[in-house]
Each structure stands twice: as structure tokens, then as C-alpha cells.
Amino acid sequence: MSDEIVLCAASAYEQKFYLNPEFDSLPENIKQELQIMCVLYTEDVGGILMLVFDGEGNLELKVDHEENDFFFDEIGSVLKIKELQHTKRELFESLELFFKVFYLEEEIEDNPEN
């Protein structure tokens, strides 16, 4: 989809991490946390992990793997994604807010209930 923007990705196949240069303005500790999280995921279950913003600014964790990759752990992948969504919830919410403010130029109301 053309309205998706990749924040970062890691591949067990190429043993590489990618951070979209558009997000170089993120604090260094956030970039490092993203790298560690993505690389550990691919080391653990294999495949490719991508963090992608949709057109509304929601952050999605997308997983892909090669068709003939019999070492990819599908069950482990689902469990690991759920774990990341739980343990990194605050990070993901902050990244969504960052994206909505700086890329979608949304006005964020100062509401203590949120």
C-alpha cells in the first residue's frame, strides 16, 4: 500500500536492520531500542519484522518469511508479537503520537484523560 510508511525492519535472512532515514530525528535511545527489539525478534523466531505506520498513523508490526523457510517459528512469532505489543505498548503509543504530530500534522489536544 502506498499510504504505509516503514519505520524500521529487521531480516533474519540478510542479518540486517533498517531504519527509515525519515526518522533520523528520533532520539538515539529510541532508535537503539527499536534496533534491539527487531533484531532479537528475528534471532528468536526468524523471518522479517517490519514496523509500519498506516495512513492514519497507527503502528503495525508486520511479519513475513520465505515460503521455504522451515525454521521460521509461526507459533513463536504470534506469541512474540503479542509480548512486544504488551511490553512495548508505551513506546509504540509514543511513536504513533510522534508520527501523527510531525508527519500527519495532526493537532493533539492537551487532554489529561488520554
Side-chain angles (χ1 to χ4, degrees):
M1 288 182 140
S2 61
D3 62 345
E4 291 184 334
I5 297 178
V6 174
L7 167 61
C8 60
S11 170
Y13 307 116
E14 297 178 22
Q15 296 183 338
K16 290 187 179 179
F17 173 77
Y18 166 79
L19 177 68
N20 188 333
E22 290 184 36
F23 297 98
D24 278 343
S25 63
L26 285 171
E28 195 60 38
N29 63 328
I30 299 296
K31 293 190 277 189
Q32 289 175 353
E33 187 173 354
L34 288 169
Q35 182 175 4
I36 291 167
M37 178 188 70
C38 291
V39 169
L40 287 177
Y41 170 91
T42 58
E43 286 292 315
D44 194 22
V45 299
I48 299 169
L49 174 65
M50 295 185 298
L51 276 66
V52 178
F53 290 106
D54 68 14
E56 281 136 36
N58 301 307
L59 187 63
E60 300 175 14
L61 282 73
K62 295 192 171 194
V63 177
D64 197 10
H65 63 91
E66 294 178 357
E67 191 175 319
N68 60 350
D69 183 0
F70 300 111
F71 294 106
F72 179 73
D73 182 0
E74 288 193 42
I75 295 170
S77 173
V78 171
L79 295 174
K80 191 75 169 173
I81 292 295
K82 286 183 180 183
E83 177 188 337
L84 290 174
Q85 289 170 330
H86 177 72
T87 60
K88 303 290 185 183
R89 183 175 57 87
E90 191 173 307
L91 171 66
F92 296 158
E93 288 173 355
S94 298
L95 288 167
E96 286 178 345
L97 182 62
F98 173 85
F99 186 80
K100 289 175 182 177
V101 169
F102 292 103
Y103 287 85
L104 299 181
E105 298 178 351
E106 289 184 10
E107 293 290 325
I108 304 298
E109 295 179 22
D110 191 13
N111 187 348
E113 293 179 5
N114 288 344

